[in-house]
Amino acid sequence: MLTRRQLIKTGAVGAVALVAAAYLAGPAEERTVLGAQPLGFLTSHDMPIVRAIAPAMLGLAPGGANPSLDELVAGVDKAILALPIAVQQEVRELFDLLQNRWLRRWLAGVHSPWADVRPDEAAAFLARWQDGAFVLLRTGYQALHKLINAAWYGNPKSWAGIGYQQPARVMEVLP
Amino acid sequence: MSIVDPIAEGLARGWKVTDGATLTGDLSLSADVVIVGSGAGGGMTAERLAKAGLSVILVEEGALRSSRDFRLDEAKAYPELYQEAANRQTADKGITILQGRTVGGSTVVNWTSSFRTPPETLAYWRDWLGLKDLTDAALAPWFELAEQRLSVSDWQIEPNPNNSLLGKGCEALGISHGRVRRNVKGCWNLGYCGMGCPTNAKQSMLVTTIPDALDASARLLTRVRVERLLTSEDGSRVELVGAVALDATGIRPTGRMVTLRAKEIVLSAGAIGTPAILLRSQLKDPLRLTGTRTFLHPVCLSGAQFAERVEPFNGAPQTVYSDHFLRVDAIDGAVGYKLEVPPVHPMLAAVTLCGFGQRHAELMQTLPNMQVTLALLRDGFNPGSMGGKVVLRDDGTPVLDYPISDTLWDGIRRAWLTMAEVQFAAGAQSVLTMHELARPVKSWAEAKRQINNLPLKPVLARVVSAHVMGGAAMGPDEQSGVVNAFGQHWQVKNLTVIDGSVFPTSIGANPQLSVYAFALRAADALQKRMAGG
Ligand SMILES: Cc1cc2nc3c(=O)[nH]c(=O)nc-3n(C[C@H](O)[C@H](O)[C@H](O)COP(=O)(O)OP(=O)(O)OC[C@H]3O[C@@H](n4cnc5c(N)ncnc54)[C@H](O)[C@@H]3O)c2cc1C
Ligand code: SF4
């Protein structure tokens, strides 16, 4: 995840992108998603980001026998709330950055508002950040990778799909 | 068959335990000794001093859990039992650090491998760091005592396939390897040690020294985080231990203050934790040694696919090892590494495996046939691997600044090569180096080509650690260490550090037994000092 120092350092990149962007048409604004109730950490503006990125990150379709997208978002929220306050603050900075339509367009390379982002566009974003030139991008990618994978594979509904189960002989005798 | 709950039984017997989250007012207590942190160092010290008849207060920032809370469930265990929910990271996010944060500390979640401090490490400490008294003979009785106390013994059961494949690969290449000793009693061979042992087989502090200390009338404060030590005007004595109560999530202070007074203060908050308290307290430290030389045994990893089922999630976690690559070069030469095998469960596997999308999903689907080998690098000997430094964030919480040096990258690359070679020798169908840009390869020749071309950049390579050591190093005098060879602080006379932060280099083997033995030795010396004065 990112640190304040990295954010300030790479803030310069963001600034350049912003200036460049000013000469071009403004990126599409985020839409308000109706009915999304904020969770403990994730706001109704953060949730479309997680919902857009998760299927591309996982390469799997939520729902059915798998965890649902709502369960995944709730799992991400829970995972963030377990982090120390200083680290939660860094995650906040990451989501704020992704929410900003200029930075979304010029730092993440995502044209559409998150609520409209298709899996291939989300995957292109992930690929860009995974091996990004700036450590800020790489750590941002890693933060999303960890949170989404932890929420998914921490959920027992994902286990059948990977041939995993808890050992029955002890589960049966737990108090 | 039902599993007993030694914690519930002890509480019913009348243990003095206070949960900080439930405090409705400030709390002020005094005792002969205050021990901060209840892990390997704190547990051993608490039992020793409480049984000697001293009044002891043990302060722990984590919560008190017991076997009934250990449900073989990663999503529950990591937030409840680990520092930063098992997501502690170095300042540049290049290394993920696993440390415990619960009554019993890291011993509650560790993997039970029990090695004595290697003789070559002690020799280096004597010959190059001036710690003349630390001979094998002088330490042997303390190792024996610790081994007896925690039932350390040879593991007689056949290793699980995840481990036996490491043995098989080493065998095929003529590389020496051995079986790991473990601190278990009646182990069910489950492999869930990292989530807390559900059967109480693991002889962690939670089921050994802490219950005995509490039976000997020690008092335990949980969810209480020590913030700083207040010293006398001349800085030579701790007068007060200042702490805050934490809420039920263990994350936010409730606003209740806890102040403790004692003749002697013992810091056992672990590496990173103990230096953080020392730094927040701004104790005398003329050479600014506190927090420096913090070591990690940085770990790099290699995954392999086998035709047969490996089920790396089942069976005792670490039972086979090889020290061959610690002995190729001199101890302070090119960085050596120890080969071992981690337990592999869905959540930690998913965050550790690189990549995303279908590629990642397919890897996860092969989990039952996956073997994972790890190499832990021996840092702190080669001048190019002098460890990291604990620094404080604005809110006073610690973060370890540990950039990976070129010397270490060189070791990481060699270790990746070794692991791939060993895995192919064991019959792997493909090998995947844990690096964002690596792809599964089908032959050793291909692996060599790929590994030699991987960019060595932080965050691209997966590097983790479960062995934090140092930061309040022992030294023969105040120029070379924060504490002396018995953990006594060089500047502050009634302050003793008893935990993994006293080691002046990494151990070069899994460190718990070193922490236990040095703790018993230091606690014994402290007890004698107190009896004498
Ligand atoms: C997942 C994992 C696997 C491991 N496997 C092995 C293994 O197989 N073999 C081996 O030899 N070693 C292993 N280790 C390492 C070993 O457990 C540690 O080296 C050892 O426990 C360190 O002892 P310690 O006393 O220094 O710290 P810890 O045991 O970590 O205890 C420190 C305690 O202090 C508490 N604390 C910190 N700050 C404060 C504060 N300000 N106020 C109050 N309390 C505080 C912490 O919450 C913690 O409970 C493993 C570690 C982990 C995390
Ligand atoms: S392998 Fe043994 S020690 Fe580890 S959790 Fe299982 S029963 Fe406990």
Side-chain angles (χ1 to χ4, degrees):
Chain A
M1 288 168 212
L2 26 159
T3 66
R4 201 180 303 275
R5 187 162 47 92
Q6 287 166 338
L7 192 71
I8 292 164
K9 254 200 295 186
T10 3
V13 182
V16 172
L18 280 174
V19 171
Y23 290 97
L24 303 161
E29 248 179 277
E30 290 297 337
R31 292 190 286 108
T32 314
V33 182
L34 293 175
Q37 288 300 314
L39 296 171
F41 179 91
L42 295 172
T43 66
S44 51
H45 297 286
D46 301 331
M47 283 189 258
I49 301 176
V50 178
R51 300 178 79 93
I53 293 172
M57 180 67 87
L58 295 163
L60 293 166
N66 281 330
S68 69
L69 208 42
D70 285 339
E71 284 175 312
L72 182 108
V73 172
V76 168
D77 190 66
K78 205 170 156 210
I80 299 169
L81 288 174
L83 298 170
I85 305 299
V87 182
Q88 289 190 26
Q89 187 53 40
E90 294 173 13
V91 182
R92 181 75 270 144
E93 286 165 5
L94 172 64
F95 277 105
D96 285 352
L97 180 155
L98 290 172
Q99 255 175 46
N100 178 304
R101 63 178 157 141
W102 299 94
L103 296 178
R104 184 198 73 218
R105 173 64 188 89
W106 299 106
L107 209 54
V110 174
H111 293 251
S112 340
W114 286 106
D116 298 339
V117 166
R118 287 207 323 276
D120 55 338
E121 197 178 357
F125 152 67
L126 292 175
R128 215 168 292 126
W129 277 31
Q130 179 189 24
D131 183 23
F134 303 101
V135 87
L136 166 86
L137 307 185
R138 302 205 297 274
T139 55
Y141 164 85
Q142 290 300 340
L144 295 168
H145 176 90
K146 281 194 171 185
L147 290 169
I148 290 168
N149 275 294
W152 183 269
Y153 291 101
N155 186 325
K157 285 190 189 167
S158 71
W159 295 346
I162 53 172
Y164 167 78
Q165 61 185 57
Q166 293 165 312
R169 68 191 162 106
V170 66
M171 297 315 289
E172 282 158 10
V173 295
L174 290 187
Chain B
M1 169 168 187
S2 68
I3 298 168
V4 297
D5 181 342
I7 301 302
E9 287 177 358
L11 289 169
R13 275 201 300 281
W15 282 350
K16 288 183 279 185
V17 178
T18 306
D19 179 355
T22 65
L23 283 180
T24 52
D26 292 351
L27 182 66
S28 189
L29 294 168
S30 58
D32 292 329
V33 187
V34 164
I35 303 171
V36 182
S38 64
M44 282 294 185
T45 308
E47 173 174 46
R48 183 89 183 185
L49 300 183
K51 281 188 175 166
L54 294 163
S55 64
V56 170
I57 299 175
L58 187 55
V59 194
E60 169 57 52
E61 70 169 325
L64 175 61
R65 313 274 179 193
S66 80
S67 50
R68 77 172 61 219
D69 301 308
F70 304 149
R71 316 302 297 197
L72 302 85
D73 177 357
E74 294 177 281
K76 178 170 159 62
Y78 300 149
E80 287 184 358
L81 305 178
Y82 283 73
Q83 290 289 357
E84 311 196 19
N87 191 47
R88 181 166 258 185
Q89 291 183 309
T90 50
D92 68 1
K93 318 285 183 199
I95 309 178
T96 299
I97 297 173
L98 300 179
Q99 273 183 299
R101 182 191 199 249
T102 182
V103 173
S106 302
T107 74
V108 173
V109 294
N110 81 17
W111 301 342
T112 72
S113 303
S114 302
F115 294 91
R116 293 186 178 191
T117 316
E120 54 272 32
T121 298
L122 293 175
Y124 185 88
W125 293 359
R126 290 192 302 273
D127 298 346
W128 294 96
L129 304 178
L131 293 159
K132 300 278 180 232
D133 298 336
L134 301 182
T135 61
D136 296 320
L139 285 165
W142 301 109
F143 284 119
E144 276 157 31
L145 209 57
E147 286 162 349
Q148 262 167 32
R149 179 67 187 94
L150 304 179
S151 311
V152 172
S153 60
D154 292 336
W155 178 239
Q156 305 289 2
I157 296 176
E158 197 46 34
N160 70 359
N162 198 24
N163 279 276
S164 61
L165 286 167
L166 171 60
K168 188 176 170 194
C170 288
E171 198 72 39
L173 297 173
I175 293 167
S176 68
H177 57 96
R179 294 285 176 86
V180 179
R181 286 158 66 79
R182 307 182 62 217
N183 58 318
V184 295
K185 220 156 97 180
C187 169
W188 291 32
N189 197 22
L190 297 170
Y192 285 75
C193 311
M195 293 161 230
C197 178
T199 68
N200 298 305
K202 170 163 59 182
Q203 299 298 289
S204 72
M205 297 300 101
L206 182 64
V207 301
T208 57
T209 55
I210 291 172
D212 278 21
L214 293 172
D215 279 333
S217 325
R219 174 185 286 274
L220 172 65
L221 306 180
T222 68
R223 287 195 268 232
V224 172
R225 181 170 70 212
V226 169
E227 290 294 335
R228 53 174 56 81
L229 313 175
L230 302 178
T231 54
S232 56
E233 217 151 289
D234 66 355
S236 70
R237 295 187 64 77
V238 179
E239 307 242 285
L240 202 72
V241 179
V244 297
L246 300 174
D247 67 8
T249 67
I251 292 175
R252 287 171 202 273
T254 61
R256 305 290 168 215
M257 307 290 288
V258 178
T259 44
L260 307 168
R261 283 171 202 279
K263 294 179 196 128
E264 292 285 338
I265 311 298
V266 175
L267 289 185
S268 303
I272 300 182
T274 285
I277 296 171
L278 294 171
L279 290 168
R280 287 196 293 263
S281 307
Q282 298 179 306
L283 302 182
K284 275 201 284 185
D285 180 17
L287 297 174
R288 294 178 169 277
L289 297 175
T290 305
T292 65
R293 296 183 68 92
T294 297
F295 304 106
L296 290 176
H297 283 162
V299 164
C300 58
L301 304 131
S302 183
Q305 285 300 319
F306 282 81
E308 67 265 30
R309 279 179 79 81
V310 180
E311 297 191 2
F313 33 81
N314 285 328
Q318 267 179 165
T319 51
V320 174
Y321 74 100
S322 170
D323 278 351
H324 175 88
F325 297 93
L326 287 174
R327 310 224 167 95
V328 172
D329 215 330
I331 197 165
D332 55 355
V335 174
Y337 42 90
K338 185 181 186 88
L339 299 180
E340 288 178 340
V341 162
V344 181
H345 293 99
M347 192 167 148
L348 214 49
V351 302
T352 307
L353 284 169
C354 297
F356 65 89
Q358 204 178 341
R359 219 160 49 77
H360 187 272
E362 280 167 9
L363 277 175
M364 287 302 292
Q365 280 151 12
T366 59
L367 202 66
N369 292 58
M370 192 183 295
Q371 194 275 345
V372 179
T373 301
L374 65 78
L376 59 88
L377 275 69
R378 180 173 55 188
D379 51 346
F381 296 88
N382 181 304
S385 69
M386 281 305 129
K389 186 175 191 306
V390 178
V391 293
L392 300 176
R393 296 190 181 103
D394 295 345
D395 67 356
T397 55
V399 61
L400 178 63
D401 188 15
Y402 190 118
I404 301 175
S405 64
D406 290 344
T407 305
L408 284 173
W409 281 125
D410 167 65
I412 288 174
R413 201 192 298 274
R414 281 182 286 113
W416 281 333
L417 288 166
T418 295
M419 291 189 284
E421 188 177 15
V422 170
Q423 287 169 322
F424 279 117
Q429 293 179 323
S430 70
V431 166
L432 177 63
T433 301
M434 305 256 182
H435 183 292
E436 288 295 345
L437 304 184
R439 297 289 175 267
V441 291
K442 296 231 169 329
S443 72
W444 163 226
E446 222 184 315
K448 252 193 295 200
R449 246 191 332 272
Q450 171 167 278
I451 291 169
N452 283 324
N453 287 312
L454 287 174
L456 302 174
K457 279 200 274 184
V459 188
L460 284 184
R462 215 40 114 228
V463 184
V464 299
S465 164
H467 299 168
V468 199
M469 298 154 284
M474 298 183 281
D477 51 48
E478 51 193 286
Q479 269 73 52
S480 49
V482 177
V483 299
N484 71 19
F486 292 101
Q488 198 178 5
H489 197 278
W490 277 114
Q491 318 288 336
V492 187
K493 291 308 166 199
N494 64 340
L495 177 60
T496 307
V497 176
I498 307 187
D499 61 21
S501 55
V502 302
F503 300 137
T505 63
S506 77
I507 293 291
N510 310 48
Q512 68 165 342
L513 196 48
S514 300
V515 181
Y516 298 137
F518 276 84
L520 286 171
R521 180 174 172 274
D524 177 69
L526 172 60
Q527 184 195 330
K528 287 183 177 138
R529 282 204 301 281
M530 291 182 78

